[in-house]
Amino acid sequence: MDSMESRRNAIVELINKNGTVNFTQIKKAFPDVSEMTLRTDLKALDAAKRIVRIHGGAKSVQVVIGTDDFINKRSVRNIQAKQRIAKKALTLLQPNTNIFLDSGSTTTEFARIFPDQSNLIYTSGLTCATELANLEKPSVTLPGGNLNRYSLSVYGYSAIHELERVNFAQTYLGITSFSYDTGFTCGSNDEALLKQTAMRQSRQTIVLMDSSKIGAVSSFNICNLKDVDIIVSDDLLPEEFVLECRRNNVTIL
């Protein structure tokens, strides 16, 4: 490994460790490297989507997207479980209703096999919208908002305000993690607020979640187990979780 690659790897490690760093901190960590070289490094790392440059410094990708990695990496992880979840979720669909489809790799699998039927679909996921674009009968809307170019989703006040004007029969929610102490969580406050808005506007909340999400904790709370109606998952849920769902009158599919 050459010195440039080693240095850039070290810069990424520094940024990931701290979440957000300013340029002074980077310069202090690499005192023998010129400012011009460090700025070139940051530009290259940003272009490679390993960090995110901001005014005066840089942020960890994890901080920006609020998840553990890029959606194109998540989309191939536990793919068979996600496909099973998507097929199960199809049995809950009702034609001629309004639904909210959250962003994420599992919801994208759901969108990929969505039937060509009459539904008004709002989705925060660009990957979901791309899959749904292959259909003729559903009406698909992306709420206006800020673009997260890592998770390929929209977020922010404009998106939330638009969702507040719609009444949904069902919300299909993607989540980052679940623990018994914190409930459902994700790594972005903006993402959590958008999900909470969709839930408030919906008569039924359906969580699409493979069993690998259980036991993990992210930074921002979405809701508690009792706040959802149905969990669609694989067949590997821990018995403790199944019992907790029963105690909270949550259906498992």
Side-chain angles (χ1 to χ4, degrees):
M1 184 181 297
D2 60 31
S3 59
M4 182 184 72
E5 186 177 355
S6 297
R7 184 180 66 250
R8 289 181 177 177
N9 287 341
I11 291 172
V12 173
E13 185 177 350
L14 173 69
I15 295 169
N16 285 342
K17 180 180 179 181
N18 292 278
T20 303
V21 297
N22 57 44
F23 190 75
T24 301
Q25 290 173 291
I26 298 172
K27 177 61 180 173
K28 185 176 180 180
F30 301 90
D32 299 327
V33 183
S34 71
E35 288 193 10
M36 181 177 295
T37 298
L38 288 174
R39 293 186 190 280
T40 299
D41 288 340
L42 292 178
K43 184 177 180 180
L45 291 169
D46 179 78
K49 296 185 178 180
R50 297 183 65 191
I51 58 101
V52 179
R53 283 196 303 166
I54 59 174
H55 181 70
K59 279 188 176 183
S60 163
V61 167
Q62 289 94 325
V63 170
V64 174
I65 67 175
T67 54
D68 53 355
D69 48 25
F70 298 99
I71 192 167
N72 62 345
K73 292 183 179 179
R74 285 183 281 136
S75 64
V76 296
R77 186 180 303 133
N78 299 327
I79 183 64
Q80 292 182 335
K82 292 173 183 178
Q83 289 171 342
R84 288 198 299 272
I85 291 167
K87 288 179 181 178
K88 287 182 180 182
L90 280 184
T91 65
L92 301 172
L93 266 179
Q94 305 165 8
N96 303 307
T97 58
N98 302 343
I99 70 171
F100 175 77
L101 184 57
D102 199 8
S103 62
S105 54
T106 306
T107 51
T108 300
E109 284 298 321
F110 182 47
R112 184 170 290 127
I113 60 173
F114 201 96
D116 196 5
Q117 66 182 32
S118 179
N119 287 101
L120 174 62
I121 307 170
Y122 275 73
T123 181
S124 57
L126 272 66
T127 52
C128 293
T130 300
E131 296 295 339
L132 294 169
N134 295 314
L135 306 177
E136 295 182 359
K137 294 180 181 179
S139 174
V140 182
T141 299
L142 277 163
N146 300 321
L147 171 65
N148 186 324
R149 60 192 176 97
Y150 296 94
S151 60
L152 296 179
S153 63
V154 295
Y155 67 94
Y157 173 77
S158 296
I160 288 173
H161 182 65
E162 189 166 350
L163 293 185
E164 288 175 335
R165 300 163 50 205
V166 188
N167 296 314
F168 298 109
Q170 295 173 316
T171 281
Y172 289 85
L173 203 66
I175 60 101
T176 304
S177 47
F178 173 86
S179 80
Y180 300 104
D181 294 330
T182 62
F184 297 101
T185 55
C186 62
S188 165
N189 189 44
D190 287 321
E191 182 182 336
L193 292 172
L194 187 78
K195 295 174 191 289
Q196 290 166 357
T197 301
M199 291 176 64
R200 285 196 303 271
Q201 296 299 116
S202 182
R203 294 197 299 271
Q204 186 180 59
T205 297
I206 301 164
V207 172
L208 308 186
M209 179 186 74
D210 67 79
S211 56
S212 69
K213 305 294 180 66
I214 296 175
V217 179
S218 298
S219 300
F220 297 96
N221 289 82
I222 302 168
C223 64
N224 295 317
L225 188 59
K226 64 181 178 60
D227 299 316
V228 308
D229 299 294
I230 299 173
I231 292 176
V232 185
S233 190
D234 51 32
D235 301 319
L236 302 173
L237 293 173
E239 183 62 25
E240 181 184 3
F241 181 79
V242 173
L243 292 174
E244 193 67 19
C245 286
R246 289 174 184 167
R247 283 193 286 267
N248 286 275
N249 298 314
V250 177
T251 300
I252 295 176
L253 189 64

